[in-house]
Amino acid sequence: MKNLTLPIRFGIVTSAVLIAYFLILSLVGKHTNIFFSLFNGVITGFGIYETLKIIKLREGNRFTYGSGFKAGITTGVVATILFTIFFAFYATELNSAFLEELSQVWAKDYSNFKGIVFFTVAIMGVATSIVLTLTFMQLFKTSNNLKK
């Protein structure tokens, strides 16, 4: 568990930044525009990158691909879970008209639209975490190339 405290803390901070970004968009009335959710990937990516950078600095030569991958995934999944919980709370308790505004067409066609949206938010967050972790690990992994 000691090895996961840093990724969990960074996941919590990353989710706090995601929530703050969403609330800022909500204040200016742009939270229903899906285009702005692309920046969530940048926020999540920065959290994962910083986690991997600090773990690589701490572990030095003991840093392995597996430990970096585990840390990156942990950061991203914690951030995703916390943001999804907030998103569900916001959409059901704080602004119940939010999902209707988000997609006029889908909300009428599907009886369980809320569940579909929450599931999509969670899956997108986990998928983003996996892809970004694999990408950043290419920067941080130890090279097996022989020195000339």
Side-chain angles (χ1 to χ4, degrees):
M1 187 66 179
K2 182 182 176 196
N3 294 337
L4 292 179
T5 55
L6 183 73
I8 290 172
R9 284 191 312 190
F10 269 78
I12 292 169
V13 170
T14 302
S15 70
V17 174
L18 288 168
I19 291 168
Y21 174 65
F22 181 82
L23 290 175
I24 290 168
L25 287 177
S26 176
L27 286 174
V28 295
K30 300 292 184 188
H31 64 303
T32 57
N33 188 340
I34 295 177
F35 175 75
F36 289 105
S37 69
L38 293 175
F39 195 67
N40 289 353
V42 174
I43 294 169
T44 304
F46 183 73
I48 292 171
Y49 178 83
E50 288 299 313
T51 302
L52 294 175
K53 185 173 80 172
I54 290 174
I55 288 179
K56 171 111 176 159
L57 287 172
R58 280 186 178 177
E59 292 183 4
N61 291 335
R62 297 178 322 214
F63 181 77
T64 63
Y65 194 91
S67 67
F69 185 77
K70 181 172 62 171
I73 292 296
T74 302
T75 300
V77 168
V78 167
T80 298
I81 289 170
L82 294 176
F83 180 73
T84 302
I85 290 169
F86 164 77
F87 188 83
F89 178 76
Y90 179 85
T92 58
E93 302 299 325
L94 298 179
N95 185 0
S96 58
F98 169 67
L99 293 179
E100 295 290 330
E101 296 171 23
L102 185 63
S103 179
Q104 296 291 328
V105 177
W106 284 22
K108 293 175 185 159
D109 291 341
Y110 296 104
S111 61
N112 194 10
F113 180 68
K114 290 179 183 177
I116 293 170
V117 171
F118 303 150
F119 180 74
T120 302
V121 168
I123 291 300
M124 285 175 50
V126 171
T128 299
S129 300
I130 291 169
V131 169
L132 289 172
T133 299
L134 289 171
T135 302
F136 292 140
M137 280 308 297
Q138 298 307 307
L139 296 172
F140 291 111
K141 73 179 182 179
T142 306
S143 175
N144 291 329
N145 294 336
L146 299 174
K147 307 268 188 218
K148 291 185 179 183

